[in-house]
Amino acid sequence: MYQLVLIATLGAWIGFANPLFHFPPAVLAFPLGLAWIGLRAVSGGKAFRFGWLAGTLAATGCFYWMVIPVQIYGGLPWFIALPCPVLLAAFIGLYFGLFAYGMHHAAKLIDGLPLCLLAGFAWASLEMLMGSLFSGFPWMNLSSAFAAWPFAVQGASVVGAFALSGVFAALAVALLLCATYRGALFLAVGLGALIVGFGFYRVSAFDVGKLDYMVTLVQGNVDQGKKWDPAYQVGTIKKYAKLTVEAVDANHPKVVIWPETAMPFYLQDQTPLRKALETLARETDIPIITGSPAYHVTDMKTRAYDLYNRAWLMDSMGLTTQYYDKEHLVPFGEYMPFAKWVPFKQLVQAAGNFKPGVDNRPLKLNGVALGMLICYEAIFPDLAQQQVERGANVLVNISNDAWFGNTSAPGQHLDLATMRAVEQGRWLVRCTNTGISAFIDPVGREAAVGRQFRAESLSMKIAALTANTVYHRINGWLKMFIYGMTAAAFGFIAFAARRNKGITQ
């Protein structure tokens, strides 16, 4: 069984983006190994335990970067930082243990093609639950491992990233069973041909629109360890201003975008720091979108206030009349769940304990509606769906991936964000502090990519698109269908197993 744990673990480590060796198809070994564990286990308990072990090891290899923000930037000791990725991985591993457990019991009653299809529905349900329960953290989205190969992820425009992961899981289990069952062989060939054929067709045939909207991204590469030090605030503004002026002179963009919390002060206050930005916007005659913490006073007498992680739109006159407040906050980083019972403060120190934004609308500028996604909001399909429903014809992801250092996380984050462009059929503009900044076209191709850990700008013409994908139109009932099919299948299996047990007794 330990060999199967190794197969699943290595499949995840190699299949998901990493700085050493990334080969997307290897990720199929992850669900394949988990299903194999379920089929080989002598009991449901052993299937769960070995599946959990494989899932925990796989997730640890994908989450190891958490040590950096917790220890280096959070200032917490190593004995607290080191267990963090392992503890999160152990929790995420429960999902994969349940998958192996389910395959073990399902294989007692069904085999071949039906078992492959059930694996697909179960995996899709697993990822949807992973993205919603306990705040959600769908970082190990199977289909995102293929984002580096745009033709392989076009199915997300029809069924979304989570259901496409289910398709890949069904393909993996079909590959496992194809030597034994002819139906599994036909399914493996059919799914492979469908993924490749539809993928190449959509990539080649999709109209990315008239590229007439010039956008500039400014990547400041500001030292995260000094960013919040007041002594460096003026220097930060000067760095962004210099890069912006150079890019405006060379490319004449219609909007300049800076990263999440690029301005580490309250932009809403009338301070010399804000006035410097107002002067820049007026002199360049260009609107600027920038991240900055914001506050809202809730009680003047007690001076109580709420904090927000905000993206401001400063127009060419220096006015900030539109903004977006981050809705999906990072637990233990931007807010503290169970604060009364947790014996430590935030794992990552920043401006404070944030509140989530509500009822956000796209930022409208020159006839273009910019749907904002701040930081890891780009890993949640529903947030991009919501912005497009509200009229967004371009998606904008601002982030500060400096927290991650030179690890696997920036690449994995970019892959996850890429899936939002494919799902919604929109250009995705991604601006980060240290990289990876990029322009992603509506079929997931990297039209332009910046370099990591460089202070630079990146400019490109994009298009504002209004047509909606199949996924966007069916998203509402697609979830219910997947959950319903999964529950019905396992419900039938449980009923049949109990009935057979009663007959044998």
Side-chain angles (χ1 to χ4, degrees), residues 46-65:
K46 284 194 172 182
F48 176 81
R49 288 194 295 273
F50 280 98
W52 172 82
L53 176 62
T56 299
L57 292 174
T60 300
C62 292
F63 300 159
Y64 72 92
W65 46 264

Side-chain angles (χ1 to χ4, degrees), residues 260-339:
E260 175 191 21
T261 58
M263 298 293 97
F265 56 86
Y266 295 114
L267 186 59
Q268 68 200 89
D269 289 345
Q270 293 299 325
T271 63
L273 297 173
R274 178 194 166 97
K275 289 180 180 179
L277 261 69
E278 292 176 349
T279 300
L280 175 65
R282 286 195 294 265
E283 289 182 350
T284 58
D285 194 32
I286 300 295
I288 299 171
I289 293 175
T290 184
S292 166
Y295 64 87
H296 172 69
V297 177
T298 57
D299 191 323
M300 293 294 292
K301 292 183 179 180
T302 63
R303 296 184 180 182
Y305 60 90
D306 292 332
L307 281 174
Y308 298 94
N309 185 345
R310 181 168 291 179
W312 290 97
L313 171 59
M314 177 175 283
D315 64 23
S316 57
M317 297 297 292
L319 302 176
T320 47
T321 57
Q322 297 183 63
Y323 59 85
Y324 171 96
D325 289 331
K326 187 176 182 182
E327 296 187 17
H328 202 121
L329 302 174
V330 180
F332 303 105
E334 292 176 312
Y335 76 100
M336 283 297 294
F338 316 115

